Amino acid sequence: MSVIEVTNVNRSFQNGKETAHVLKDINLNIELGEFVSIMGPSGGGKSTLLYLLGGLDMPSSGTVKINNVDLSTLKDKELCRLRNEEVGFVFQFYNLVPNLNVEDNIALPLMIAGKKKSDYKDKLDECLRIIGMEDKRKLTPRELSGGQQQRVAIARALVFNPKIIFLDEPIGNLDSKTGTKIMELFRDINRKFGKTIVQVTHSAEAAQYGTKLVKLVDGQIQSVSNIER
C-alpha cells in the first residue's frame, strides 16, 4: 500500500532572469513501513524533494499525495495540521527551544495544536522511553549532548504518533559513534513501530539502515533499489 505517491513532479526556482530546474520529472512510490534513503551529490535536489514530500513546499508541476490526498488541494490550515500531526520531521539542526526542558520540547507539537499536555502523559512517557531519556525530562537543551538533543527532536516527531517520519541529514552534526546510535534508533522505530521513514543523507553508511535506496543526481532519479538487511 502506497502512503506517498509522487507523479511527474518538477520544481524550479526563478533567480532573476534565470530559471533553475532543481527537480525533473520525479516519479516515486513509497510503501507503508518502508525506510527509504535518498542519496546523491550536494545540490542534486535531495532536500527539495524531501520538503515536497512533507508538504513544506509545493511542486511547480506534478502531484504529491500522502494517503491518497493531493497536498496541493489542501488549504493552509489543513496543511499545517498535516505537518504537525500526521507526519514528523527530524532535521540536521535539532531546533529545540532553549528555555524549555526536554519534556516540554517533546510536547511542543501538542501545544501548537492546542492540546493539553496532561492528556498526553502516557504518550510523553512512551516517547521518553523510546529515546532512553526518562531520567532527563527536566533538563534543558544546553545540559544535553548533541546526540541527546537529536533524541529529543526524534521524540518530538513521534509525539502525535505519525505514520510517516521525514529525516533531513539527521546525523550530519554528530560524531560517527553517536550517529550510529541514532541510526540504530531510527531502524528500531521503523521495525518495532512500523513507521514509514524517508531520509535524505550524504552518508552511505546511514543509507544502509534503510530498506530502499533512491539515487538522485542533477534533479533526476537515477536508480531505485532494495537494500538487503
Side-chain angles (χ1 to χ4, degrees), residues 11-111:
R11 185 67 174 104
S12 55
F13 296 92
Q14 204 68 29
N15 186 7
K17 292 182 179 177
E18 298 287 312
T19 302
H21 296 282
V22 179
L23 294 174
K24 305 158 195 167
D25 296 320
I26 301 289
N27 288 281
L28 182 65
N29 271 15
I30 295 172
E31 304 289 317
L32 184 69
E34 281 192 316
F35 186 159
V36 178
S37 298
I38 302 172
M39 275 196 82
S42 292
K46 301 187 299 297
S47 289
T48 301
L49 177 57
L50 193 80
Y51 295 162
L52 294 178
L53 298 182
L56 295 170
D57 188 19
M58 288 292 148
S60 304
S61 64
T63 59
V64 176
K65 291 182 180 179
I66 290 183
N67 296 324
N68 234 12
V69 176
D70 182 346
L71 298 188
S72 68
T73 65
L74 297 178
K75 295 180 176 135
D76 284 348
K77 198 172 176 182
E78 294 169 322
L79 204 50
C80 283
R81 191 192 63 78
L82 177 133
R83 288 191 301 246
N84 192 45
E85 298 179 27
E86 292 186 31
V87 300
F89 292 94
V90 179
F91 298 99
Q92 178 174 349
F93 302 100
Y94 324 122
N95 298 330
L96 302 182
V97 180
N99 59 337
L100 293 183
N101 64 29
V102 164
E103 190 173 81
D104 287 342
N105 264 291
I106 295 170
L108 208 53
L110 304 174
M111 298 174 198

Side-chain angles (χ1 to χ4, degrees), residues 131-181:
I131 63 168
M133 287 180 61
E134 295 130 297
D135 58 335
K136 293 182 171 56
R137 64 174 71 218
K138 296 303 179 188
L139 299 184
T140 55
R142 69 173 179 274
E143 298 172 279
L144 304 175
S145 68
Q148 288 171 330
Q149 289 186 58
Q150 190 61 299
R151 284 174 182 269
V152 176
I154 293 165
R156 181 181 57 198
L158 291 171
V159 75
F160 260 120
N161 202 26
K163 290 187 171 66
I164 306 166
I165 302 171
F166 296 106
L167 317 176
D168 190 7
E169 297 285 1
I171 60 170
N173 270 0
L174 303 172
D175 63 77
S176 59
K177 189 177 175 184
T178 306
T180 296
K181 287 182 177 170

